[in-house]
Amino acid sequence: MSDISDLNDLTLESLTTRDGAKWSLAEPGVIPAWVADMDFPVAPAVREALARRIHGDLGYPAWLDQLGDGPLAEVFAARMEQRHGWRADPAHVRSFTDINQALQVVLHVATRPGDAVALHVPTYPPFLETLAEMGRPPLPIPMEPVGDSWGFDADALAARLAEGRCRVLLLVNPQNPTGRSFTREELTVLAELAERHDLLVVSDEIHADLTHAPSAHVPFATLLPERTVTLTSATKAFNLGGIRCSVAHFGPPALRAAMAAQPRHMYGAAHVFGVDATVAAWTRGDGWLEEVRAVLARNRSLVAGGLPEGVRYRIPDATYLAWLDFTDLALGEDPAEFLKREARVMLSQGPPFGPGGEGFARLNFATSGPVLSEILDRITRAVKSRS
Ligand SMILES: Cc1ncc(COP(=O)(O)O)c(C=O)c1O
């Protein structure tokens, strides 16, 4: 097992040789802190499981790609019960390639073009792209600064829902990019609105395992089991973006029936590597996860202490993304451009996150202390040198 010093022991020299998107797409000399991949090596349990598979049976797996089948159904249900006291039904679980595919399947089966989908904005850009591509107009729920954190105006949402045409609440909890973990009270208000307006709730909880104390993750399905589709995967918390495997739990009986009526191969099939890696992460990876969570909790504070004056940062409740507000520095709509040019660091651009993204950039702080310090120093020097 690795320990925290291994996680801190990353050098720029070794990181720049990586061939994944995060490092290979950054210009030479630019430190990447954009896409939501962590720099840490993956959990030993995951590596062992994949090595076992390589040396073992690579034939067709002994399960069918349908609701309730495959090892992930039981493993997911056991994990939800153990971590959150949610008794998910393994018979209602199936795997997909990734979260976006699962979302598109749900929207395809449960809604029609023109049906609106409510979601907090700014948000994970591929969801906005999915809604645009599928002709499901977004009904934006603006995230607003509330003290040191973020919230939203539930009365304004209720008024927009009363106008009709909204069929789905697409909840991202913990939220990306703000890192907000919604409280039980906030989720209860959303649940009441979903009941009142007959909404299907699709709850993306992919960042839940990275919720920092004292915040606590509440699975939405514990509030509205029969209206909620839960989407998750091990890819964020266990740094496995390339394994292409996600899990969906279908609470609504009518949706399960509608899914079953579709041609069987329309949903694709999970790869045995993805399934093995996810099972290993969820059953034997928690020691590694606790170490990573400790580094991330420390890094949240390092970011707070290392930014120059004029950059506003609300410490996230969860995950490793810092949603930085550069509006006071008047760097234009897209401060990430300035940061790449002048600071030689690559953050995610704010505008693709939708309304509220202008003047912001998202910093990924899932790296070693020294690399993070270098990123923060570069930002500070670039900002200071222009004033
Ligand atoms: C909120 C959210 N949902 C879904 C995803 C996609 O994850 P994957 O491609 O592993 O399914 C991400 C990735 O960053 C994300 O932040």
Side-chain angles (χ1 to χ4, degrees):
M1 157 135 349
S2 60
D3 65 19
I4 199 164
S5 57
D6 293 333
L7 299 178
N8 239 345
D9 200 18
L10 302 166
T11 62
L12 283 176
E13 290 66 39
S14 66
L15 290 167
T16 48
T17 64
R18 294 203 177 165
D19 64 357
K22 184 179 183 186
W23 284 87
S24 72
L25 297 183
E27 283 171 24
V30 170
I31 306 181
W34 59 295
V35 69
D37 270 335
M38 302 195 274
D39 287 339
F40 312 126
V42 303
V46 172
R47 285 190 194 285
E48 283 154 23
L50 291 175
R52 243 194 327 277
R53 177 61 62 187
I54 286 170
H55 297 292
D57 192 342
L58 288 169
Y60 291 110
W63 64 77
L64 298 173
D65 296 293
Q66 61 188 26
L67 275 183
D69 232 351
L72 278 175
E74 291 289 347
V75 166
F76 168 81
R79 187 165 180 83
M80 290 305 112
E81 172 137 38
Q82 170 224 331
R83 288 181 88 83
H84 308 294
W86 169 32
R87 304 192 67 173
D89 188 336
H92 300 162
V93 174
R94 69 158 290 147
S95 52
F96 288 91
T97 303
D98 59 32
I99 299 259
N100 232 301
Q101 185 213 2
L103 171 63
Q104 294 193 359
V105 165
V106 171
L107 292 178
H108 178 74
V109 173
T111 66
R112 291 162 182 239
D115 288 343
V117 174
L119 81 172
H120 294 93
V121 291
T123 191
Y124 176 59
F127 286 169
L128 293 174
E129 288 156 22
T130 278
L131 298 186
E133 283 162 11
M134 296 186 72
R136 271 62 168 178
L139 189 161
I141 314 171
M143 293 295 285
E144 296 167 354
V146 178
D148 291 340
S149 185
W150 294 93
F152 60 93
D153 183 342
D155 293 336
L157 173 61
R160 293 293 306 275
L161 290 173
E163 293 165 12
R165 292 257 30 199
C166 186
R167 303 290 311 125
V168 176
L169 169 64
L170 172 54
L171 180 67
V172 178
N173 183 36
Q175 213 260 343
N176 178 2
T178 62
R180 187 73 218 291
S181 168
F182 294 114
T183 61
R184 181 176 294 281
E185 290 67 35
E186 288 170 309
L187 296 173
T188 302
V189 169
L190 291 173
E192 282 163 10
L193 288 172
E195 280 282 64
R196 194 183 316 155
H197 296 285
D198 192 21
L199 304 182
L200 171 70
V201 181
V202 181
S203 187
D204 170 351
E205 304 186 4
I206 191 171
H207 292 278
D209 274 349
L210 297 174
T211 306
H212 306 295
S215 297
H217 178 70
V218 179
F220 198 81
T222 58
L223 302 179
L224 274 188
E226 300 231 321
R227 273 192 188 280
T228 305
V229 176
T230 303
L231 306 180
T232 194
S233 87
T235 55
K236 293 300 113 183
F238 291 89
N239 202 24
L240 299 169
I243 62 157
R244 320 310 295 144
C245 180
S246 71
V247 174
H249 179 276
F250 292 88
L255 180 56
R256 291 198 297 273
M259 295 259 311
Q262 299 288 327
R264 254 187 317 150
H265 291 286
M266 199 176 78
Y267 308 128
H271 192 299
V272 282
F273 284 6
V275 172
D276 284 0
T278 306
V279 168
W282 282 350
T283 55
R284 298 190 299 285
D286 282 341
W288 177 93
L289 179 62
E290 286 318 305
E291 290 166 12
V292 166
R293 286 161 52 94
V295 174
L296 298 181
R298 181 207 60 187
N299 286 4
R300 290 196 297 171
S301 310
L302 280 181
V303 174
L307 286 168
E309 219 172 295
V311 183
R312 243 173 297 165
Y313 164 56
R314 295 178 169 80
I315 296 182
D317 304 322
T319 200
Y320 46 80
L321 306 169
W323 183 234
L324 303 180
D325 178 352
F326 291 88
T327 48
D328 284 353
L329 296 177
L331 294 175
E333 280 219 333
D334 186 6
E337 273 185 14
F338 165 85
L339 295 168
K340 186 155 76 169
R341 196 178 60 243
E342 303 296 329
R344 310 301 285 156
V345 295
M346 183 179 177
L347 274 61
S348 295
Q349 299 174 288
F353 287 79
E358 315 79 24
F360 281 73
R362 194 191 70 178
L363 167 76
N364 174 343
F365 57 76
T367 190
S368 70
V371 173
L372 181 57
S373 296
E374 176 63 19
I375 291 170
L376 296 169
D377 287 350
R378 287 184 182 202
I379 295 175
T380 302
R381 280 199 299 274
V383 166
K384 283 193 175 152
S385 69
R386 70 179 273 291
S387 46

